Amino acid sequence: MELTNLADFLDASGARYRIFDLGRRVVPLPEDDFRRCAEGERPYPYPLQRQAWLGILFWQDQPYVWFVRLGLDEQGLINQGQAAQFMAQVLAAMQEGRDALPDNPFTFLPSEEKRAAFHSQAKLLLGEPASLYYEETLAYARGQLRDWQRLGLQGLADLVARDKDQPWFPGFVAEAPLEVLIPLAMQLENHKLAPELAEALWERLPQAPLPLGRALGRTGKAAEVADKLLAEAALQDLLVVAGRLWESLEDEKRLGHFLELAAALEEGRHFPALFADLVMLPSLRPKLLAKLRDPERSVALAKALGSLF
């Protein structure tokens, strides 16, 4: 088999497959977007730490999952050399009759929260029943069970994937104890949310600004959340804005404010890492590069940008 790119490689397997991004959020990638990224025609849309973090779900008689990370070049394109190495290792394992992927530098184990989110979405895509934890979690959410200590993370992930659009869900979010709401929010951050649900989260934002702020990243409240977090301007606030609310930074005024805060925080200690992470995002890259020539930047920001070179 000729090794061309990862999309062609998966096509040649004869299996059906779906690609998920597991970097900033757990979201499915449109097939055309993935193909163009795999072929080196388009920057990867959701880079994290200069890598593409992929969950590859494929199935014939039964489903299989690969968690694969591939480096990105300066333009945000997938490193074709790494992709070729990964494919060669898979082929070698197949020729040896092994089903499991061999140990290699291109596979990874997602966090427990992301694994739960991935499996909840994968089962829904495949038309499979939810996990064994779902029914008990649903009973709790509907007020039929009181003991929240019995809930599991996978059950919460399944609940979000299957029931977030139910009319009763905002009321559940409005009343849930923080011990339930915070892990629930970590699952909600992977989904687009209806306005009523976003409003319920917004009302409770002061109780847990960081996790609930993350959960509002794919809602119409994202810009307001970003402004609230930037008003606090601690490191964790900046990290949440950069990691989960980055679309709000497409506003040039807010982006400039973010950069000024990052430059001032701890004398710019964290500025290089924050800038390097954001500049890989295709939607932010031209705006950030323009800041290098912005005559209105502060002395602190000019110094922080100068430290990058």
Side-chain angles (χ1 to χ4, degrees):
M1 182 186 298
E2 181 183 357
L3 297 179
T4 51
N5 62 70
L6 189 54
D8 288 342
F9 182 77
L10 291 169
D11 287 340
S13 72
R16 298 179 63 188
Y17 66 89
R18 189 70 186 269
I19 309 297
F20 291 76
D21 177 74
L22 271 74
R24 295 170 183 273
R25 302 180 182 124
V26 179
V27 293
L29 291 179
E31 181 178 351
D32 183 61
D33 287 355
F34 168 68
R35 182 168 298 280
R36 294 183 66 183
C37 290
E39 293 173 350
E41 296 180 358
R42 173 183 290 181
Y44 189 73
Y46 308 122
L48 181 67
Q49 300 171 352
R50 290 195 63 171
Q51 296 186 91
W53 303 80
L54 305 174
I56 304 175
L57 171 69
F58 58 105
W59 65 97
Q60 285 178 312
D61 297 330
Q62 59 180 322
Y64 294 90
V65 174
W66 293 344
F67 295 119
V68 180
R69 59 181 179 183
L70 297 172
L72 306 174
D73 66 15
E74 292 292 338
Q75 286 73 46
L77 301 175
I78 287 177
N79 185 313
Q80 296 299 320
Q82 289 189 10
Q85 290 180 54
F86 171 72
M87 291 184 288
Q89 292 178 353
V90 172
L91 280 177
M94 292 171 59
Q95 290 166 355
E96 295 172 7
R98 288 185 283 162
D99 291 332
L101 284 181
D103 290 335
N104 65 75
F106 309 116
T107 58
F108 72 99
L109 181 65
S111 67
E112 184 181 7
E113 291 81 8
K114 287 185 175 178
R115 291 201 307 275
F118 175 84
H119 288 302
S120 68
Q121 295 185 45
K123 283 182 174 290
L124 202 55
L125 175 68
L126 294 170
E128 295 183 352
S131 72
L132 297 175
Y133 306 99
Y134 168 66
E135 292 297 336
E136 193 166 60
T137 308
L138 177 61
Y140 176 83
R142 300 303 306 271
Q144 299 160 358
L145 179 70
R146 294 185 179 275
D147 187 4
W148 61 262
Q149 288 93 339
R150 294 169 56 179
L151 305 182
L153 183 60
Q154 188 62 62
L156 291 171
D158 292 337
L159 182 76
V160 166
R162 293 170 186 263
D163 298 302
K164 66 184 184 302
D165 295 322
Q166 293 292 333
W168 50 263
F169 205 94
F172 166 54
V173 165
E175 299 296 332
L178 281 178
E179 293 87 349
V180 174
L181 184 61
I182 289 174
L184 185 74
M186 296 179 73
Q187 298 303 317
L188 288 167
E189 72 179 45
N190 302 303
H191 299 269
K192 292 182 178 179
L193 308 181
E196 296 81 6
L197 180 52
E199 188 64 34
L201 288 165
W202 173 259
E203 290 296 323
R204 300 198 64 179
L205 184 70
Q207 299 174 41
L210 297 180
L212 298 189
R214 288 169 50 154
L216 286 162
R218 301 185 72 185
T219 74
K221 295 287 189 181
E224 291 178 84
V225 173
D227 289 339
K228 282 185 174 293
L229 295 181
L230 293 179
E232 298 298 325
L235 176 59
Q236 289 300 317
D237 298 301
L238 298 187
L239 290 174
V240 168
V241 172
R244 297 297 187 276
L245 302 166
W246 73 91
E247 292 101 333
S248 70
L249 298 178
E250 293 173 17
D251 178 87
E252 293 196 15
K253 183 177 179 181
R254 188 175 292 108
L255 176 61
H257 183 46
F258 176 92
L259 293 174
E260 293 285 359
L261 292 172
L265 182 67
E266 298 182 31
E267 299 182 345
R269 174 185 170 190
H270 306 286
F271 186 90
L274 288 166
F275 188 94
D277 184 53
L278 291 175
V279 80
M280 295 298 292
L281 287 160
S283 62
L284 292 181
R285 184 177 180 84
K287 298 179 185 293
L288 284 163
L289 294 179
K291 290 295 180 182
L292 298 175
R293 304 180 296 274
D294 184 0
E296 297 184 6
R297 64 196 181 191
S298 70
V299 173
L301 180 54
K303 180 179 177 182
L305 289 168
S307 71
L308 302 174
F309 305 100

